[in-house]
Amino acid sequence: MENFTFFNPTKIEFGVGKEQLIGQHLAAHGINTVLLCYGSERIKRDGLFDIVSQRLREQNIELIECGGIVSNPVISKVREGIALAKAHQVDAILSVGGGSVLDSVKAIAAGVRYEGDVWDLFTGKAPVESALPLFAILTLAATGSEMNPGAVVTNDETQEKFFISSTALFPKVSIINPVLMQGVPRDYLVYSASDVIAHLIEVYFTATVHPHLQSRLVESLINTVIETTEALLADPADYGARAQFAWAATLALNGLTFSGTAGFSYPNHAIEHSLSALFNVPHGAGLSVVVPAWMKWYIGRNPAQFERFARNVFGVDTGEQGIAALESWFNTIGTPTRLPQLEIKETALPAIVENVQSNVRLFGIADTYPPEVVTAILKNAL
Amino acid sequence: MENFTFFNPTKIEFGVGKEQLIGQHLAAHGINTVLLCYGSERIKRDGLFDIVSQRLREQNIELIECGGIVSNPVISKVREGIALAKAHQVDAILSVGGGSVLDSVKAIAAGVRYEGDVWDLFTGKAPVESALPLFAILTLAATGSEMNPGAVVTNDETQEKFFISSTALFPKVSIINPVLMQGVPRDYLVYSASDVIAHLIEVYFTATVHPHLQSRLVESLINTVIETTEALLADPADYGARAQFAWAATLALNGLTFSGTAGFSYPNHAIEHSLSALFNVPHGAGLSVVVPAWMKWYIGRNPAQFERFARNVFGVDTGEQGIAALESWFNTIGTPTRLPQLEIKETALPAIVENVQSNVRLFGIADTYPPEVVTAILKNAL
């Protein structure tokens, strides 16, 4: 097992009705004015916005609205949020939405405290040194952003999808009420499942050390995601399944699964970020295409762990059978596994490979993933 | 799955050489004078005390010594520590040792900030409202105290072993270097294994809801403890096993395994605390006696979970076989499973049952564990 530091100060409020606590939590942190960020107007139709604004009013907290954040969130919108936050001198940012809204909120929170252009923080030109306190009410479980210090945003001018990470970006409080997720459309549920599984297997397969303990935790989470996704497809109102799915998504990327491992990387995310950046495909849909393709390329580098995965997740014997079982499961739940299903043709490969190069540099894995390797992986997905 | 709040702000520094960071961490928290608590003089012989004092000197942090804390730590020693801390106006407490030292440190940290007698905090006469910041360098992995807000101390006058719990008692930083644990004697290793397993199964069996996710996490940790204990008995220098054992011990009681469950209780701990309080038996040795006896009494209340345990931990078919397998495993590793092995005779049962009554009240389970039930459980251990 490798040396590590584990630190995760986010307070999680999990369960039915927990969104009612948002006013108290903001007040406990001394917040007077908050920028409330969200995506579509759905939260106004379904009553969530009313609940939040009432709980804030009760605590005399002023609310500034910043709606219209889109999936694969863009830096231009982040800049708009920063301007609003500065104009109203808000002292916190509140995300009401899924990972896209929350990642935008993290970028806004950091950008307000940085004098230059916020994209500098994504390119590594400047580090994230501080941020406004940020809070979240989660309406989609997938990215794990609610209990980690990272955020991914796309530059809509340069078509780069980059990330930032800093302990300043841990949410102070994240509220996860599975009931708020019951309206998640079927396609976004299955994309979320593939996103969570991708988070789990990136570390599981790429780490240079694989303590049994960490492997067991990952397998526990993958098996939970598989089981609960199937339950939710059968009955979207299954609260127990919805709740376990959500908590598994949080635990998949909160530090638990990689503490004690080493040398791991996120090649599937590095490649997928280019698909999202160039073709605006849903992140999870891109991942379910990339993951099996990458596994077929990678299996020879870690055959023992692939065999373990096959056995402990799908109850099959060989690593190859495990990959086939995962691909088949993705097909069964209805998330794509081939590029043409994303309407991406073979002729687009050179542009993707080109775009991936900045991502693999950013992820620190350029040596392992030169253009010819990325091409080979993508060809597995044709 | 049940509603929950998860909050655990302790920073963990895990791995080889991490004790070297203690000066930096104390300095980062603005500490000028620290009460260093420890058990035997072993830390002076093996060099750990020198390392700590040198790292503190480099940061101009004054060190006040408070040695001689014993296993099953006692409130009289805690009072001594409080007096020292007040006399020297220390602004933090540092534990260098195992769970007994750390729990004493938590009691001292809380006691310094409380005007009355510290035992009031254990009897519930007053709540723990604040505490001095506390830090830990762990030399024995078992209790999980390094990443949780609880502490257990014995009143050596009244023979009561009670606990306190408060968010003020989360260590700021806990340093876990498995190398420092290599000298743990064989008997304390196996007592630690039974303590960790007890922490895991109390929730696993007694909770009124058992989401698969949480059950899987518990089974992952139990299987890790079993596997690594056997590895360490074969080779105490097996760093990988030592490290996984230690991290499993931390995760077993840091909130991860019970978040989302409900209605769980700690009957085995409630009963064992009386064995420790009355006969000063090692906590883990007491637990390996109580646990199988309790399981035999409890199985009918949750047969499905006992069957699950049997299957997923020991690969046997029935709940009864699972209990027998655990008892047999305790015997194999050399931790006692019967009261006579602790030199406790049947004639002592009434005194134990009497002492347990205050513990089950404190643990909130007096209704389920009236004297006749506790007697029945203890008789299973004769």
Side-chain angles (χ1 to χ4, degrees):
Chain A
M1 203 155 119
E2 297 295 308
N3 282 11
F4 65 89
T5 300
F6 183 95
F7 177 61
N8 195 320
T10 297
K11 179 177 281 188
I12 297 292
E13 289 285 11
F14 190 103
V16 182
K18 290 282 195 160
E19 65 278 12
Q20 304 283 355
L21 301 176
I22 188 62
Q24 289 168 236
H25 280 299
L26 288 168
H29 280 82
I31 307 304
N32 295 307
T33 310
V34 68
L35 186 73
L36 190 163
C37 298
Y38 60 96
S40 75
E41 296 298 303
R42 188 170 63 84
I43 65 163
K44 296 207 172 169
R45 289 193 302 275
D46 67 13
L48 181 56
F49 182 87
D50 283 345
I51 290 169
V52 173
S53 52
Q54 190 167 342
R55 295 291 90 83
L56 266 53
R57 208 159 37 236
E58 285 165 7
Q59 303 285 346
N60 298 314
I61 296 167
E62 195 187 347
L63 178 167
I64 313 298
E65 278 188 52
C66 177
I69 292 169
V70 294
S71 295
N72 292 324
V74 290
I75 200 73
S76 55
K77 185 75 189 176
V78 167
R79 292 192 186 107
E80 195 184 309
I82 294 170
L84 261 175
K86 285 182 172 172
H88 293 272
Q89 295 185 296
V90 305
D91 38 24
I93 325 262
L94 168 61
S95 167
V96 181
S100 295
V101 178
L102 182 45
D103 283 9
S104 301
V105 158
K106 288 181 176 179
I108 294 168
V112 168
R113 291 274 177 88
Y114 175 65
E115 287 194 2
D117 178 60
V118 63
W119 191 245
D120 295 350
L121 306 174
F122 287 81
T123 59
K125 194 174 158 193
V128 176
E129 283 176 342
S130 87
L132 282 182
L134 59 106
F135 299 79
I137 298 175
L138 205 66
T139 60
L140 180 84
T143 69
S145 190
E146 64 277 9
M147 202 181 182
N148 73 40
V152 179
V153 173
T154 297
N155 186 319
D156 31 347
E157 289 157 14
T158 62
Q159 290 188 309
E160 294 164 311
K161 184 173 185 174
F162 286 176
F163 67 89
I164 48 175
S165 184
S166 161
T167 52
L169 298 178
F170 278 108
K172 297 292 181 203
V173 179
S174 283
I175 292 171
I176 307 172
N177 175 358
V179 175
L180 300 179
M181 302 166 181
Q182 275 180 7
V184 169
R186 186 184 171 97
D187 54 350
Y188 267 81
L189 170 67
V190 301
Y191 301 158
S192 300
S194 95
D195 192 12
V196 178
I197 288 175
H199 292 153
L200 291 162
I201 65 158
E202 298 260 37
V203 173
Y204 182 87
F205 287 125
T206 65
T208 49
V209 288
H210 299 278
H212 285 322
L213 169 52
Q214 283 78 357
S215 292
R216 286 188 176 111
L217 295 176
V218 168
E219 291 154 6
S220 296
L221 294 170
I222 295 178
N223 285 324
T224 300
V225 171
I226 289 175
E227 179 180 276
T228 56
T229 302
E230 291 174 359
L232 289 170
L233 289 173
D235 175 13
D238 182 338
Y239 178 81
R242 187 74 67 180
Q244 287 183 65
F245 182 98
W247 188 223
T250 302
L251 294 177
L253 207 61
N254 79 339
L256 175 70
T257 62
F258 57 73
S259 293
T261 70
F264 58 89
S265 58
Y266 290 88
N268 295 283
H269 277 74
I271 296 171
E272 194 292 320
H273 284 180
S274 291
L275 301 185
S276 295
L278 293 171
F279 305 99
N280 199 27
V281 301
H283 178 53
L287 281 169
S288 57
V289 169
V290 173
V291 164
W294 172 82
M295 288 171 88
K296 289 169 194 166
W297 175 78
Y298 196 82
I299 182 172
R301 293 174 169 244
N302 196 352
Q305 193 75 350
F306 275 77
E307 236 185 86
R308 179 183 175 127
F309 171 82
R311 207 170 47 241
N312 293 347
V313 175
F314 287 105
V316 294
D317 291 328
T318 70
E320 288 78 6
Q321 287 169 340
I323 299 172
L326 179 62
E327 187 167 357
S328 157
W329 187 76
F330 281 151
N331 287 326
T332 305
I333 63 169
T335 185
T337 54
R338 300 287 165 158
L339 288 166
Q341 293 173 278
L342 300 173
E343 294 177 26
I344 298 172
K345 293 184 185 141
E346 188 166 5
T347 50
L349 258 52
I352 302 171
V353 172
E354 168 68 21
N355 190 289
V356 168
Q357 291 318 298
S358 54
N359 286 330
V360 292
R361 271 198 303 278
L362 199 69
F363 279 84
I365 50 174
D367 288 352
T368 318
Y369 294 91
E372 60 275 20
V373 165
V374 177
T375 304
I377 292 169
L378 289 169
K379 281 193 170 165
N380 285 344
L382 283 173
Chain B
M1 202 156 117
E2 295 296 309
N3 283 10
F4 64 90
T5 301
F6 183 95
F7 176 60
N8 195 320
T10 298
K11 180 178 280 188
I12 298 291
E13 289 284 11
F14 191 103
V16 182
K18 291 281 194 158
E19 65 278 13
Q20 304 285 352
L21 301 176
I22 189 61
Q24 290 167 234
H25 280 299
L26 288 168
H29 281 82
I31 307 304
N32 296 308
T33 309
V34 69
L35 186 74
L36 189 163
C37 297
Y38 60 96
S40 75
E41 297 297 304
R42 189 170 62 84
I43 66 163
K44 297 205 171 170
R45 291 193 301 275
D46 67 14
L48 181 55
F49 182 87
D50 284 346
I51 291 169
V52 172
S53 52
Q54 191 167 342
R55 295 291 89 85
L56 266 53
R57 209 160 35 239
E58 286 165 7
Q59 303 286 346
N60 298 314
I61 296 167
E62 197 188 345
L63 178 166
I64 313 297
E65 278 188 52
C66 177
I69 293 169
V70 295
S71 296
N72 292 324
V74 290
I75 201 71
S76 55
K77 186 73 188 176
V78 167
R79 293 192 186 108
E80 194 185 310
I82 294 169
L84 262 176
K86 285 182 172 173
H88 293 274
Q89 296 185 295
V90 307
D91 37 26
I93 324 262
L94 169 61
S95 167
V96 181
S100 295
V101 179
L102 182 45
D103 283 8
S104 301
V105 158
K106 288 180 176 180
I108 294 168
V112 169
R113 292 273 177 87
Y114 174 65
E115 285 192 7
D117 178 60
V118 63
W119 191 247
D120 293 351
L121 306 173
F122 287 81
T123 59
K125 192 174 159 192
V128 176
E129 282 177 341
S130 87
L132 282 182
L134 60 105
F135 299 78
I137 298 175
L138 205 66
T139 60
L140 179 82
T143 69
S145 191
E146 63 278 9
M147 201 180 184
N148 73 40
V152 180
V153 173
T154 297
N155 187 320
D156 31 346
E157 290 157 16
T158 63
Q159 292 188 307
E160 294 165 311
K161 185 173 184 175
F162 286 177
F163 67 90
I164 48 174
S165 183
S166 161
T167 52
L169 297 179
F170 279 110
K172 298 292 181 201
V173 179
S174 283
I175 292 172
I176 306 170
N177 175 358
V179 175
L180 300 179
M181 301 166 183
Q182 276 180 6
V184 169
R186 186 185 170 96
D187 54 351
Y188 268 81
L189 170 67
V190 301
Y191 300 158
S192 301
S194 96
D195 193 12
V196 179
I197 288 175
H199 293 153
L200 290 162
I201 65 159
E202 299 260 37
V203 174
Y204 182 87
F205 287 124
T206 65
T208 50
V209 288
H210 299 278
H212 285 323
L213 169 52
Q214 282 79 354
S215 291
R216 286 187 175 112
L217 296 176
V218 168
E219 291 155 5
S220 296
L221 294 170
I222 295 178
N223 284 323
T224 300
V225 171
I226 290 175
E227 178 179 275
T228 55
T229 302
E230 291 174 358
L232 288 170
L233 289 172
D235 175 12
D238 182 340
Y239 178 81
R242 186 74 67 180
Q244 287 182 66
F245 182 98
W247 188 223
T250 303
L251 295 177
L253 208 59
N254 79 338
L256 175 69
T257 62
F258 57 74
S259 294
T261 70
F264 58 90
S265 57
Y266 290 89
N268 294 282
H269 277 73
I271 297 171
E272 195 294 318
H273 284 181
S274 292
L275 301 185
S276 295
L278 293 172
F279 305 98
N280 200 26
V281 301
H283 178 53
L287 281 168
S288 57
V289 169
V290 173
V291 164
W294 172 84
M295 288 171 87
K296 288 168 195 168
W297 175 79
Y298 196 82
I299 181 170
R301 294 175 169 243
N302 195 352
Q305 192 75 349
F306 274 78
E307 236 185 87
R308 178 181 176 129
F309 171 82
R311 209 170 46 240
N312 293 349
V313 175
F314 287 106
V316 293
D317 290 327
T318 70
E320 287 78 5
Q321 288 170 339
I323 300 171
L326 179 62
E327 187 168 358
S328 158
W329 187 75
F330 281 151
N331 286 324
T332 306
I333 64 169
T335 185
T337 53
R338 299 287 164 157
L339 288 167
Q341 293 173 278
L342 300 174
E343 295 178 23
I344 298 173
K345 292 183 188 139
E346 187 166 6
T347 51
L349 258 51
I352 302 172
V353 171
E354 167 68 21
N355 190 289
V356 168
Q357 291 317 299
S358 54
N359 286 328
V360 293
R361 273 198 302 277
L362 200 70
F363 279 84
I365 50 175
D367 288 351
T368 318
Y369 295 91
E372 60 274 20
V373 165
V374 177
T375 304
I377 292 170
L378 289 169
K379 282 194 170 167
N380 286 343
L382 284 172

